[in-house]
CSV table of all heavy atoms in Angstrom, one decimal:
chain,number,residue,atom,x,y,z
A,31,ILE,N,4.7,14.0,8.0
A,31,ILE,CA,4.2,14.1,9.3
A,31,ILE,C,3.2,15.3,9.3
A,31,ILE,O,2.1,15.1,9.9
A,31,ILE,CB,5.3,14.4,10.3
A,31,ILE,CG1,6.3,13.2,10.4
A,31,ILE,CG2,4.8,14.7,11.7
A,31,ILE,CD1,7.5,13.4,11.3
A,32,ARG,N,3.5,16.4,8.7
A,32,ARG,CA,2.6,17.5,8.7
A,32,ARG,C,1.3,17.2,8.0
A,32,ARG,O,0.2,17.5,8.5
A,32,ARG,CB,3.3,18.7,7.9
A,32,ARG,CG,2.4,19.9,7.8
A,32,ARG,CD,3.1,21.0,7.1
A,32,ARG,NE,3.7,20.6,5.8
A,32,ARG,CZ,3.1,20.5,4.7
A,32,ARG,NH1,1.7,20.7,4.6
A,32,ARG,NH2,3.7,20.1,3.6
A,33,LEU,N,1.3,16.4,6.9
A,33,LEU,CA,0.1,16.1,6.2
A,33,LEU,C,-0.8,15.1,7.0
A,33,LEU,O,-2.0,15.3,7.0
A,33,LEU,CB,0.5,15.4,4.8
A,33,LEU,CG,1.1,16.3,3.8
A,33,LEU,CD1,1.6,15.5,2.6
A,33,LEU,CD2,0.1,17.4,3.3
A,34,VAL,N,-0.2,14.2,7.7
A,34,VAL,CA,-1.0,13.3,8.5
A,34,VAL,C,-1.7,14.0,9.7
A,34,VAL,O,-2.9,13.8,10.0
A,34,VAL,CB,-0.2,12.1,9.1
A,34,VAL,CG1,-1.0,11.3,10.0
A,34,VAL,CG2,0.3,11.2,7.9
A,35,VAL,N,-0.9,14.9,10.3
A,35,VAL,CA,-1.5,15.7,11.4
A,35,VAL,C,-2.6,16.6,10.9
A,35,VAL,O,-3.7,16.7,11.5
A,35,VAL,CB,-0.4,16.6,12.0
A,35,VAL,CG1,-1.0,17.6,13.0
A,35,VAL,CG2,0.6,15.7,12.7
A,36,GLU,N,-2.4,17.2,9.7
A,36,GLU,CA,-3.5,18.1,9.2
A,36,GLU,C,-4.7,17.3,8.8
A,36,GLU,O,-5.9,17.7,9.1
A,36,GLU,CB,-3.0,18.8,7.9
A,36,GLU,CG,-1.9,19.9,8.2
A,36,GLU,CD,-1.4,20.5,7.0
A,36,GLU,OE1,-1.6,20.0,5.9
A,36,GLU,OE2,-0.6,21.5,7.1
A,37,TRP,N,-4.5,16.1,8.3
A,37,TRP,CA,-5.7,15.2,7.9
A,37,TRP,C,-6.4,14.8,9.2
A,37,TRP,O,-7.7,14.9,9.2
A,37,TRP,CB,-5.1,14.0,7.2
A,37,TRP,CG,-6.1,12.9,7.1
A,37,TRP,CD1,-7.1,12.8,6.1
A,37,TRP,CD2,-6.3,11.7,7.9
A,37,TRP,NE1,-7.9,11.6,6.3
A,37,TRP,CE2,-7.4,11.0,7.4
A,37,TRP,CE3,-5.6,11.2,9.0
A,37,TRP,CZ2,-7.8,9.8,8.0
A,37,TRP,CZ3,-6.0,10.0,9.6
A,37,TRP,CH2,-7.0,9.3,9.1
A,38,ALA,N,-5.7,14.4,10.2
A,38,ALA,CA,-6.4,14.0,11.5
A,38,ALA,C,-7.2,15.1,12.1
A,38,ALA,O,-8.3,14.9,12.5
A,38,ALA,CB,-5.4,13.4,12.4
A,39,LEU,N,-6.6,16.3,12.2
A,39,LEU,CA,-7.2,17.4,12.9
A,39,LEU,C,-8.4,17.9,12.0
A,39,LEU,O,-9.4,18.3,12.6
A,39,LEU,CB,-6.2,18.5,13.1
A,39,LEU,CG,-5.1,18.2,14.1
A,39,LEU,CD1,-4.2,19.4,14.3
A,39,LEU,CD2,-5.7,17.7,15.4
A,40,GLN,N,-8.3,17.9,10.7
A,40,GLN,CA,-9.4,18.3,9.9
A,40,GLN,C,-10.6,17.3,10.0
A,40,GLN,O,-11.7,17.7,9.9
A,40,GLN,CB,-8.9,18.3,8.4
A,40,GLN,CG,-10.0,18.9,7.5
A,40,GLN,CD,-9.5,19.1,6.1
A,40,GLN,OE1,-8.4,18.7,5.7
A,40,GLN,NE2,-10.2,19.8,5.2
A,41,ALA,N,-10.2,16.0,10.3
A,41,ALA,CA,-11.3,15.0,10.5
A,41,ALA,C,-11.8,15.0,11.9
A,41,ALA,O,-12.6,14.2,12.3
A,41,ALA,CB,-10.8,13.6,10.1
A,42,GLN,N,-11.3,16.0,12.7
A,42,GLN,CA,-11.6,16.1,14.1
A,42,GLN,C,-11.3,14.8,14.9
A,42,GLN,O,-12.0,14.3,15.8
A,42,GLN,CB,-13.1,16.4,14.3
A,42,GLN,CG,-13.5,17.7,13.7
A,42,GLN,CD,-15.0,18.1,14.0
A,42,GLN,OE1,-15.8,17.2,13.9
A,42,GLN,NE2,-15.2,19.4,14.3
Side-chain angles (χ1 to χ4, degrees):
I31 296 178
R32 175 178 54 79
L33 290 172
V34 173
V35 171
E36 290 176 350
W37 168 80
L39 296 181
Q40 186 173 9
Q42 296 185 320

